[in-house]
């Protein structure tokens, strides 16, 4: 085994050693969140003698789950056997394969992707003699939006009665659900929502999950939606050992249902929750962090923290205010040419970042 707490700084060490009860770590960008999570899990196994079978670690992508699994395997060797490190959706599939027959589905249910979802919606629109591709797009989006918030067609209609086509959308949503049930199928959003309903309605299934996952770890907590948060709250309610790592300053997935307020809900719903801050950044220079701190302090709903680094001040940030998008593109391209001609950089070292794809044309033309 290769595991040492000496690899952690003082900020990281405190939440790693605080193993019982609810813990929230608000962690800035580049502050070593993955290192914190893996070392805490390793500490639970090696020092607290927690069975790997009783540990759950949830991330948001398969790539992040694989990275965490590889790090823990290197630290603990075979001691990770039985530990579940997965995305929310993968965890829910496991639970549903075991218990979904208790709520009227077969265990061999199908999982429909976006193509199947759109095909069913189009068929319903045709059968109802509704009009327009626009309605299809709106309905597909609304069904996902409703499920991420845990809303039935009726609940969604009450909440958004002012939406265009709301009556048609909720009819489509209702018919879509009937079609899925008839085919013993779930869509991607159902994996979360149906698991939540299962655990809320079936005491035996909930108790199994609570006893299995006695120590829960959730990464990127600011990106959880309503249903994901409720799943964590339900499963973690028996033992209360929930370790959440997130940064409300980095919440960018509101368009797919993420709610940064879950960070604040967590501190209220889990009694005695302790809060720790990770403010040392390993990725950037101080000039970059100082600018970021100045910007983000204007957010009104946040847990106050100030990022710092031991990397030194670094180069000053250059700011150019252009009078037009053409002038902006010219200034950026001139800067790039100067960097490459200096001999210190190649074109492949350089990136241009913008808010949305539609802004790229002026840069492409100048380049």
């Amino acid at each position: 085994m290769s595991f040492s707490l000496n690899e952690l700084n003082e900020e990281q060490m405190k939440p790693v050693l605080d193993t019982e009860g609810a813990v929230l770590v608000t962690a800035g960008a580049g502050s070593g969140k993955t290192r914190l999570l893996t070392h805490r899990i390793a500490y639970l196994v090696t020092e607290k003698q927690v069975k790997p079978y009783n540990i759950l670690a949830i991330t948001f992508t398969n790539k992040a789950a694989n990275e965490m699994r590889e790090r823990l395997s290197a630290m603990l060797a075979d001691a990770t056997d039985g530990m579940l490190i997965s995305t929310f959706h993968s965890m829910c599939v496991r639970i549903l394969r075991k218990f979904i027959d208790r709520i009227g589905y077969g265990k061999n249910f199908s999982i429909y992707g976006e193509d199947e979802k759109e095909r069913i919606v189009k068929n319903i629109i045709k059968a109802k003699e509704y009009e327009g591709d626009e309605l299809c797009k709106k309905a597909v989006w609304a069904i996902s939006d409703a499920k991420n918030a845990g809303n039935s067609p009726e609940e969604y209609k009450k909440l958004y009665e002012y939406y265009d086509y709301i009556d048609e959308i909720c009819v489509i949503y209702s018919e879509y659900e009937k079609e899925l049930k008839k085919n013993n199928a779930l869509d991607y959003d159902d994996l979360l929502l149906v698991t939540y309903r299962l655990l809320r309605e079936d005491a035996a299934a909930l108790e199994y999950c609570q006893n299995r996952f006695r120590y829960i770890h959730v990464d990127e907590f600011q990106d959880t939606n309503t249903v994901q948060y409720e799943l964590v709250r339900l499963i973690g309610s028996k033992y209360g050992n929930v370790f959440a790592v997130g940064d409300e300053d980095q919440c960018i997935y509101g368009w797919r249902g993420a709610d940064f307020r879950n960070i604040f809900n967590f501190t209220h719903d889990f009694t005695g929750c302790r809060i720790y801050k990770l403010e040392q950044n390993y990725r950037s220079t101080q000039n970059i962090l100082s600018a970021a701190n100045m910007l983000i302090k204007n957010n009104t709903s946040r847990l106050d923290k100030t990022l710092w680094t031991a990397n030194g001040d670094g180069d000053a940030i250059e700011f150019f205010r252009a009078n037009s998008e053409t002038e902006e593109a010219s200034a950026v391209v001139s800067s790039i040419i100067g960097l490459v001609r200096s001999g210190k950089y190649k074109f492949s070292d350089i990136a241009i970042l913008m808010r949305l794809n539609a802004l790229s044309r002026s840069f492409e033309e100048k380049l």
Side-chain angles (χ1 to χ4, degrees), residues 84-113:
L84 182 58
I85 304 167
S86 78
T87 63
F88 270 103
H89 291 86
S90 296
M91 176 192 75
C92 288
V93 170
R94 286 176 175 246
I95 294 171
L96 292 173
R97 293 291 184 202
K98 189 174 183 67
F99 293 111
I100 197 171
D101 58 324
R102 293 168 179 256
I103 54 172
Y105 291 83
K107 289 186 178 180
N108 62 337
F109 62 88
S110 300
I111 301 172
Y112 283 180

PDB file of all heavy atoms in Angstrom, residues 84-113:
ATOM      1  N   LEU A  84     -17.861   1.130  -3.857  1.00  0.00           N
ATOM      2  CA  LEU A  84     -18.546   1.630  -5.050  1.00  0.00           C
ATOM      3  C   LEU A  84     -18.082   3.055  -5.330  1.00  0.00           C
ATOM      4  O   LEU A  84     -18.323   3.970  -4.551  1.00  0.00           O
ATOM      5  CB  LEU A  84     -20.062   1.589  -4.873  1.00  0.00           C
ATOM      6  CG  LEU A  84     -20.863   2.045  -6.102  1.00  0.00           C
ATOM      7  CD1 LEU A  84     -20.519   1.191  -7.324  1.00  0.00           C
ATOM      8  CD2 LEU A  84     -22.360   1.994  -5.828  1.00  0.00           C
ATOM      9  N   ILE A  85     -17.409   3.218  -6.462  1.00  0.00           N
ATOM     10  CA  ILE A  85     -16.976   4.527  -6.944  1.00  0.00           C
ATOM     11  C   ILE A  85     -17.642   4.714  -8.292  1.00  0.00           C
ATOM     12  O   ILE A  85     -17.317   4.020  -9.261  1.00  0.00           O
ATOM     13  CB  ILE A  85     -15.442   4.584  -7.090  1.00  0.00           C
ATOM     14  CG1 ILE A  85     -14.768   4.225  -5.767  1.00  0.00           C
ATOM     15  CG2 ILE A  85     -14.996   5.963  -7.556  1.00  0.00           C
ATOM     16  CD1 ILE A  85     -13.274   3.959  -5.886  1.00  0.00           C
ATOM     17  N   SER A  86     -18.605   5.619  -8.389  1.00  0.00           N
ATOM     18  CA  SER A  86     -19.397   5.681  -9.613  1.00  0.00           C
ATOM     19  C   SER A  86     -20.034   7.051  -9.784  1.00  0.00           C
ATOM     20  O   SER A  86     -19.960   7.910  -8.908  1.00  0.00           O
ATOM     21  CB  SER A  86     -20.492   4.612  -9.578  1.00  0.00           C
ATOM     22  OG  SER A  86     -21.569   5.009  -8.750  1.00  0.00           O
ATOM     23  N   THR A  87     -20.680   7.231 -10.919  1.00  0.00           N
ATOM     24  CA  THR A  87     -21.527   8.399 -11.127  1.00  0.00           C
ATOM     25  C   THR A  87     -22.877   8.148 -10.450  1.00  0.00           C
ATOM     26  O   THR A  87     -23.204   7.011 -10.075  1.00  0.00           O
ATOM     27  CB  THR A  87     -21.771   8.643 -12.619  1.00  0.00           C
ATOM     28  OG1 THR A  87     -22.476   7.522 -13.165  1.00  0.00           O
ATOM     29  CG2 THR A  87     -20.460   8.823 -13.367  1.00  0.00           C
ATOM     30  N   PHE A  88     -23.673   9.202 -10.304  1.00  0.00           N
ATOM     31  CA  PHE A  88     -25.020   9.040  -9.761  1.00  0.00           C
ATOM     32  C   PHE A  88     -25.814   8.030 -10.594  1.00  0.00           C
ATOM     33  O   PHE A  88     -26.496   7.153 -10.053  1.00  0.00           O
ATOM     34  CB  PHE A  88     -25.764  10.385  -9.780  1.00  0.00           C
ATOM     35  CG  PHE A  88     -25.588  11.205  -8.538  1.00  0.00           C
ATOM     36  CD1 PHE A  88     -24.722  12.291  -8.526  1.00  0.00           C
ATOM     37  CD2 PHE A  88     -26.286  10.911  -7.382  1.00  0.00           C
ATOM     38  CE1 PHE A  88     -24.560  13.065  -7.385  1.00  0.00           C
ATOM     39  CE2 PHE A  88     -26.137  11.675  -6.241  1.00  0.00           C
ATOM     40  CZ  PHE A  88     -25.278  12.757  -6.236  1.00  0.00           C
ATOM     41  N   HIS A  89     -25.735   8.156 -11.912  1.00  0.00           N
ATOM     42  CA  HIS A  89     -26.549   7.313 -12.781  1.00  0.00           C
ATOM     43  C   HIS A  89     -26.141   5.840 -12.677  1.00  0.00           C
ATOM     44  O   HIS A  89     -27.008   4.953 -12.627  1.00  0.00           O
ATOM     45  CB  HIS A  89     -26.456   7.798 -14.226  1.00  0.00           C
ATOM     46  CG  HIS A  89     -27.118   9.123 -14.453  1.00  0.00           C
ATOM     47  ND1 HIS A  89     -26.463  10.311 -14.238  1.00  0.00           N
ATOM     48  CD2 HIS A  89     -28.375   9.448 -14.842  1.00  0.00           C
ATOM     49  CE1 HIS A  89     -27.291  11.318 -14.505  1.00  0.00           C
ATOM     50  NE2 HIS A  89     -28.456  10.820 -14.869  1.00  0.00           N
ATOM     51  N   SER A  90     -24.844   5.557 -12.624  1.00  0.00           N
ATOM     52  CA  SER A  90     -24.390   4.172 -12.492  1.00  0.00           C
ATOM     53  C   SER A  90     -24.823   3.571 -11.162  1.00  0.00           C
ATOM     54  O   SER A  90     -25.233   2.408 -11.098  1.00  0.00           O
ATOM     55  CB  SER A  90     -22.863   4.108 -12.621  1.00  0.00           C
ATOM     56  OG  SER A  90     -22.452   4.504 -13.908  1.00  0.00           O
ATOM     57  N   MET A  91     -24.738   4.349 -10.094  1.00  0.00           N
ATOM     58  CA  MET A  91     -25.199   3.883  -8.788  1.00  0.00           C
ATOM     59  C   MET A  91     -26.685   3.534  -8.847  1.00  0.00           C
ATOM     60  O   MET A  91     -27.121   2.493  -8.336  1.00  0.00           O
ATOM     61  CB  MET A  91     -24.966   4.958  -7.727  1.00  0.00           C
ATOM     62  CG  MET A  91     -25.514   4.597  -6.356  1.00  0.00           C
ATOM     63  SD  MET A  91     -25.553   6.004  -5.198  1.00  0.00           S
ATOM     64  CE  MET A  91     -26.961   6.940  -5.846  1.00  0.00           C
ATOM     65  N   CYS A  92     -27.459   4.403  -9.477  1.00  0.00           N
ATOM     66  CA  CYS A  92     -28.910   4.191  -9.535  1.00  0.00           C
ATOM     67  C   CYS A  92     -29.257   2.953 -10.351  1.00  0.00           C
ATOM     68  O   CYS A  92     -30.196   2.222 -10.002  1.00  0.00           O
ATOM     69  CB  CYS A  92     -29.596   5.422 -10.099  1.00  0.00           C
ATOM     70  SG  CYS A  92     -29.611   6.824  -8.958  1.00  0.00           S
ATOM     71  N   VAL A  93     -28.521   2.698 -11.440  1.00  0.00           N
ATOM     72  CA  VAL A  93     -28.776   1.486 -12.221  1.00  0.00           C
ATOM     73  C   VAL A  93     -28.586   0.247 -11.351  1.00  0.00           C
ATOM     74  O   VAL A  93     -29.399  -0.696 -11.391  1.00  0.00           O
ATOM     75  CB  VAL A  93     -27.853   1.424 -13.456  1.00  0.00           C
ATOM     76  CG1 VAL A  93     -27.940   0.056 -14.130  1.00  0.00           C
ATOM     77  CG2 VAL A  93     -28.235   2.502 -14.457  1.00  0.00           C
ATOM     78  N   ARG A  94     -27.549   0.226 -10.525  1.00  0.00           N
ATOM     79  CA  ARG A  94     -27.309  -0.921  -9.633  1.00  0.00           C
ATOM     80  C   ARG A  94     -28.473  -1.124  -8.667  1.00  0.00           C
ATOM     81  O   ARG A  94     -28.927  -2.248  -8.445  1.00  0.00           O
ATOM     82  CB  ARG A  94     -26.027  -0.696  -8.825  1.00  0.00           C
ATOM     83  CG  ARG A  94     -24.745  -0.871  -9.615  1.00  0.00           C
ATOM     84  CD  ARG A  94     -23.552  -0.526  -8.737  1.00  0.00           C
ATOM     85  NE  ARG A  94     -22.300  -0.786  -9.400  1.00  0.00           N
ATOM     86  CZ  ARG A  94     -21.418  -1.708  -9.030  1.00  0.00           C
ATOM     87  NH1 ARG A  94     -21.672  -2.483  -7.984  1.00  0.00           N
ATOM     88  NH2 ARG A  94     -20.296  -1.889  -9.683  1.00  0.00           N
ATOM     89  N   ILE A  95     -28.936  -0.030  -8.087  1.00  0.00           N
ATOM     90  CA  ILE A  95     -30.035  -0.118  -7.125  1.00  0.00           C
ATOM     91  C   ILE A  95     -31.312  -0.602  -7.820  1.00  0.00           C
ATOM     92  O   ILE A  95     -32.032  -1.467  -7.306  1.00  0.00           O
ATOM     93  CB  ILE A  95     -30.269   1.247  -6.445  1.00  0.00           C
ATOM     94  CG1 ILE A  95     -29.048   1.626  -5.585  1.00  0.00           C
ATOM     95  CG2 ILE A  95     -31.535   1.217  -5.589  1.00  0.00           C
ATOM     96  CD1 ILE A  95     -29.087   3.048  -5.050  1.00  0.00           C
ATOM     97  N   LEU A  96     -31.586  -0.060  -9.008  1.00  0.00           N
ATOM     98  CA  LEU A  96     -32.804  -0.412  -9.722  1.00  0.00           C
ATOM     99  C   LEU A  96     -32.786  -1.872 -10.197  1.00  0.00           C
ATOM    100  O   LEU A  96     -33.821  -2.549 -10.159  1.00  0.00           O
ATOM    101  CB  LEU A  96     -33.008   0.524 -10.910  1.00  0.00           C
ATOM    102  CG  LEU A  96     -33.332   1.989 -10.552  1.00  0.00           C
ATOM    103  CD1 LEU A  96     -33.343   2.854 -11.803  1.00  0.00           C
ATOM    104  CD2 LEU A  96     -34.666   2.095  -9.822  1.00  0.00           C
ATOM    105  N   ARG A  97     -31.648  -2.352 -10.655  1.00  0.00           N
ATOM    106  CA  ARG A  97     -31.569  -3.757 -11.089  1.00  0.00           C
ATOM    107  C   ARG A  97     -31.897  -4.712  -9.940  1.00  0.00           C
ATOM    108  O   ARG A  97     -32.368  -5.828 -10.156  1.00  0.00           O
ATOM    109  CB  ARG A  97     -30.175  -4.069 -11.633  1.00  0.00           C
ATOM    110  CG  ARG A  97     -29.804  -3.369 -12.921  1.00  0.00           C
ATOM    111  CD  ARG A  97     -30.579  -3.853 -14.107  1.00  0.00           C
ATOM    112  NE  ARG A  97     -30.132  -3.214 -15.354  1.00  0.00           N
ATOM    113  CZ  ARG A  97     -30.852  -3.110 -16.449  1.00  0.00           C
ATOM    114  NH1 ARG A  97     -32.088  -3.594 -16.474  1.00  0.00           N
ATOM    115  NH2 ARG A  97     -30.385  -2.502 -17.519  1.00  0.00           N
ATOM    116  N   LYS A  98     -31.663  -4.259  -8.734  1.00  0.00           N
ATOM    117  CA  LYS A  98     -31.907  -5.108  -7.558  1.00  0.00           C
ATOM    118  C   LYS A  98     -33.338  -4.993  -7.037  1.00  0.00           C
ATOM    119  O   LYS A  98     -33.928  -5.984  -6.573  1.00  0.00           O
ATOM    120  CB  LYS A  98     -30.921  -4.731  -6.441  1.00  0.00           C
ATOM    121  CG  LYS A  98     -30.915  -5.682  -5.250  1.00  0.00           C
ATOM    122  CD  LYS A  98     -29.811  -5.306  -4.280  1.00  0.00           C
ATOM    123  CE  LYS A  98     -29.743  -6.296  -3.112  1.00  0.00           C
ATOM    124  NZ  LYS A  98     -29.316  -7.648  -3.541  1.00  0.00           N
ATOM    125  N   PHE A  99     -33.941  -3.776  -7.134  1.00  0.00           N
ATOM    126  CA  PHE A  99     -35.205  -3.548  -6.434  1.00  0.00           C
ATOM    127  C   PHE A  99     -36.367  -3.030  -7.290  1.00  0.00           C
ATOM    128  O   PHE A  99     -37.475  -2.884  -6.777  1.00  0.00           O
ATOM    129  CB  PHE A  99     -34.989  -2.522  -5.301  1.00  0.00           C
ATOM    130  CG  PHE A  99     -34.117  -3.000  -4.189  1.00  0.00           C
ATOM    131  CD1 PHE A  99     -32.848  -2.452  -4.001  1.00  0.00           C
ATOM    132  CD2 PHE A  99     -34.538  -3.984  -3.306  1.00  0.00           C
ATOM    133  CE1 PHE A  99     -32.036  -2.874  -2.961  1.00  0.00           C
ATOM    134  CE2 PHE A  99     -33.742  -4.411  -2.268  1.00  0.00           C
ATOM    135  CZ  PHE A  99     -32.480  -3.857  -2.096  1.00  0.00           C
ATOM    136  N   ILE A 100     -36.159  -2.743  -8.564  1.00  0.00           N
ATOM    137  CA  ILE A 100     -37.187  -2.034  -9.319  1.00  0.00           C
ATOM    138  C   ILE A 100     -38.487  -2.828  -9.461  1.00  0.00           C
ATOM    139  O   ILE A 100     -39.567  -2.260  -9.656  1.00  0.00           O
ATOM    140  CB  ILE A 100     -36.658  -1.611 -10.701  1.00  0.00           C
ATOM    141  CG1 ILE A 100     -37.553  -0.515 -11.309  1.00  0.00           C
ATOM    142  CG2 ILE A 100     -36.545  -2.807 -11.639  1.00  0.00           C
ATOM    143  CD1 ILE A 100     -37.000   0.120 -12.562  1.00  0.00           C
ATOM    144  N   ASP A 101     -38.425  -4.166  -9.334  1.00  0.00           N
ATOM    145  CA  ASP A 101     -39.644  -4.966  -9.430  1.00  0.00           C
ATOM    146  C   ASP A 101     -40.629  -4.658  -8.303  1.00  0.00           C
ATOM    147  O   ASP A 101     -41.823  -4.960  -8.412  1.00  0.00           O
ATOM    148  CB  ASP A 101     -39.314  -6.465  -9.430  1.00  0.00           C
ATOM    149  CG  ASP A 101     -38.543  -6.900  -8.206  1.00  0.00           C
ATOM    150  OD1 ASP A 101     -37.691  -6.127  -7.719  1.00  0.00           O
ATOM    151  OD2 ASP A 101     -38.798  -8.020  -7.720  1.00  0.00           O
ATOM    152  N   ARG A 102     -40.160  -4.025  -7.245  1.00  0.00           N
ATOM    153  CA  ARG A 102     -41.030  -3.679  -6.121  1.00  0.00           C
ATOM    154  C   ARG A 102     -41.981  -2.537  -6.470  1.00  0.00           C
ATOM    155  O   ARG A 102     -42.952  -2.297  -5.750  1.00  0.00           O
ATOM    156  CB  ARG A 102     -40.194  -3.267  -4.904  1.00  0.00           C
ATOM    157  CG  ARG A 102     -39.375  -4.427  -4.322  1.00  0.00           C
ATOM    158  CD  ARG A 102     -38.355  -3.895  -3.323  1.00  0.00           C
ATOM    159  NE  ARG A 102     -37.590  -4.978  -2.733  1.00  0.00           N
ATOM    160  CZ  ARG A 102     -37.775  -5.450  -1.502  1.00  0.00           C
ATOM    161  NH1 ARG A 102     -38.721  -4.931  -0.735  1.00  0.00           N
ATOM    162  NH2 ARG A 102     -37.031  -6.429  -1.035  1.00  0.00           N
ATOM    163  N   ILE A 103     -41.696  -1.795  -7.555  1.00  0.00           N
ATOM    164  CA  ILE A 103     -42.573  -0.673  -7.926  1.00  0.00           C
ATOM    165  C   ILE A 103     -43.124  -0.845  -9.341  1.00  0.00           C
ATOM    166  O   ILE A 103     -43.416   0.129 -10.035  1.00  0.00           O
ATOM    167  CB  ILE A 103     -41.854   0.691  -7.788  1.00  0.00           C
ATOM    168  CG1 ILE A 103     -40.540   0.712  -8.568  1.00  0.00           C
ATOM    169  CG2 ILE A 103     -41.628   1.037  -6.313  1.00  0.00           C
ATOM    170  CD1 ILE A 103     -39.895   2.086  -8.618  1.00  0.00           C
ATOM    171  N   GLY A 104     -43.264  -2.099  -9.761  1.00  0.00           N
ATOM    172  CA  GLY A 104     -44.021  -2.367 -10.976  1.00  0.00           C
ATOM    173  C   GLY A 104     -43.252  -2.433 -12.277  1.00  0.00           C
ATOM    174  O   GLY A 104     -43.864  -2.456 -13.346  1.00  0.00           O
ATOM    175  N   TYR A 105     -41.926  -2.468 -12.229  1.00  0.00           N
ATOM    176  CA  TYR A 105     -41.118  -2.657 -13.429  1.00  0.00           C
ATOM    177  C   TYR A 105     -40.456  -4.034 -13.391  1.00  0.00           C
ATOM    178  O   TYR A 105     -40.291  -4.625 -12.315  1.00  0.00           O
ATOM    179  CB  TYR A 105     -40.014  -1.602 -13.525  1.00  0.00           C
ATOM    180  CG  TYR A 105     -40.475  -0.188 -13.799  1.00  0.00           C
ATOM    181  CD1 TYR A 105     -40.909   0.633 -12.773  1.00  0.00           C
ATOM    182  CD2 TYR A 105     -40.455   0.321 -15.093  1.00  0.00           C
ATOM    183  CE1 TYR A 105     -41.320   1.938 -13.011  1.00  0.00           C
ATOM    184  CE2 TYR A 105     -40.853   1.638 -15.343  1.00  0.00           C
ATOM    185  CZ  TYR A 105     -41.292   2.425 -14.302  1.00  0.00           C
ATOM    186  OH  TYR A 105     -41.692   3.714 -14.550  1.00  0.00           O
ATOM    187  N   GLY A 106     -40.041  -4.507 -14.567  1.00  0.00           N
ATOM    188  CA  GLY A 106     -39.225  -5.708 -14.604  1.00  0.00           C
ATOM    189  C   GLY A 106     -37.760  -5.357 -14.429  1.00  0.00           C
ATOM    190  O   GLY A 106     -37.316  -4.283 -14.839  1.00  0.00           O
ATOM    191  N   LYS A 107     -36.984  -6.272 -13.835  1.00  0.00           N
ATOM    192  CA  LYS A 107     -35.567  -5.986 -13.586  1.00  0.00           C
ATOM    193  C   LYS A 107     -34.751  -5.909 -14.875  1.00  0.00           C
ATOM    194  O   LYS A 107     -33.629  -5.399 -14.864  1.00  0.00           O
ATOM    195  CB  LYS A 107     -34.980  -7.053 -12.661  1.00  0.00           C
ATOM    196  CG  LYS A 107     -35.476  -6.966 -11.228  1.00  0.00           C
ATOM    197  CD  LYS A 107     -34.747  -7.952 -10.333  1.00  0.00           C
ATOM    198  CE  LYS A 107     -35.207  -7.831  -8.883  1.00  0.00           C
ATOM    199  NZ  LYS A 107     -34.496  -8.782  -7.992  1.00  0.00           N
ATOM    200  N   ASN A 108     -35.310  -6.407 -15.960  1.00  0.00           N
ATOM    201  CA  ASN A 108     -34.608  -6.353 -17.252  1.00  0.00           C
ATOM    202  C   ASN A 108     -34.985  -5.106 -18.050  1.00  0.00           C
ATOM    203  O   ASN A 108     -34.999  -5.113 -19.281  1.00  0.00           O
ATOM    204  CB  ASN A 108     -34.916  -7.597 -18.068  1.00  0.00           C
ATOM    205  CG  ASN A 108     -36.398  -7.713 -18.400  1.00  0.00           C
ATOM    206  OD1 ASN A 108     -37.238  -7.139 -17.693  1.00  0.00           O
ATOM    207  ND2 ASN A 108     -36.733  -8.438 -19.460  1.00  0.00           N
ATOM    208  N   PHE A 109     -35.295  -4.004 -17.335  1.00  0.00           N
ATOM    209  CA  PHE A 109     -35.726  -2.775 -18.005  1.00  0.00           C
ATOM    210  C   PHE A 109     -34.681  -2.261 -18.998  1.00  0.00           C
ATOM    211  O   PHE A 109     -33.476  -2.468 -18.825  1.00  0.00           O
ATOM    212  CB  PHE A 109     -36.036  -1.680 -16.969  1.00  0.00           C
ATOM    213  CG  PHE A 109     -34.859  -1.263 -16.127  1.00  0.00           C
ATOM    214  CD1 PHE A 109     -33.998  -0.248 -16.545  1.00  0.00           C
ATOM    215  CD2 PHE A 109     -34.604  -1.866 -14.903  1.00  0.00           C
ATOM    216  CE1 PHE A 109     -32.923   0.148 -15.773  1.00  0.00           C
ATOM    217  CE2 PHE A 109     -33.523  -1.479 -14.119  1.00  0.00           C
ATOM    218  CZ  PHE A 109     -32.688  -0.468 -14.553  1.00  0.00           C
ATOM    219  N   SER A 110     -35.169  -1.574 -20.045  1.00  0.00           N
ATOM    220  CA  SER A 110     -34.295  -0.944 -21.034  1.00  0.00           C
ATOM    221  C   SER A 110     -34.017   0.501 -20.618  1.00  0.00           C
ATOM    222  O   SER A 110     -34.813   1.120 -19.909  1.00  0.00           O
ATOM    223  CB  SER A 110     -34.951  -0.945 -22.412  1.00  0.00           C
ATOM    224  OG  SER A 110     -35.223  -2.260 -22.833  1.00  0.00           O
ATOM    225  N   ILE A 111     -32.894   1.022 -21.083  1.00  0.00           N
ATOM    226  CA  ILE A 111     -32.549   2.421 -20.830  1.00  0.00           C
ATOM    227  C   ILE A 111     -32.529   3.147 -22.175  1.00  0.00           C
ATOM    228  O   ILE A 111     -31.726   2.819 -23.053  1.00  0.00           O
ATOM    229  CB  ILE A 111     -31.187   2.549 -20.131  1.00  0.00           C
ATOM    230  CG1 ILE A 111     -31.194   1.793 -18.795  1.00  0.00           C
ATOM    231  CG2 ILE A 111     -30.837   4.022 -19.902  1.00  0.00           C
ATOM    232  CD1 ILE A 111     -29.830   1.709 -18.119  1.00  0.00           C
ATOM    233  N   TYR A 112     -33.428   4.122 -22.344  1.00  0.00           N
ATOM    234  CA  TYR A 112     -33.542   4.846 -23.604  1.00  0.00           C
ATOM    235  C   TYR A 112     -32.631   6.066 -23.611  1.00  0.00           C
ATOM    236  O   TYR A 112     -32.577   6.829 -22.643  1.00  0.00           O
ATOM    237  CB  TYR A 112     -34.983   5.316 -23.828  1.00  0.00           C
ATOM    238  CG  TYR A 112     -35.944   4.227 -24.279  1.00  0.00           C
ATOM    239  CD1 TYR A 112     -37.285   4.514 -24.513  1.00  0.00           C
ATOM    240  CD2 TYR A 112     -35.506   2.921 -24.479  1.00  0.00           C
ATOM    241  CE1 TYR A 112     -38.170   3.528 -24.937  1.00  0.00           C
ATOM    242  CE2 TYR A 112     -36.381   1.927 -24.896  1.00  0.00           C
ATOM    243  CZ  TYR A 112     -37.714   2.236 -25.123  1.00  0.00           C
ATOM    244  OH  TYR A 112     -38.581   1.251 -25.545  1.00  0.00           O
ATOM    245  N   GLY A 113     -31.945   6.261 -24.720  1.00  0.00           N
ATOM    246  CA  GLY A 113     -31.120   7.441 -24.910  1.00  0.00           C
ATOM    247  C   GLY A 113     -31.907   8.577 -25.525  1.00  0.00           C
ATOM    248  O   GLY A 113     -33.131   8.491 -25.699  1.00  0.00           O
TER     249      GLY A 113
END
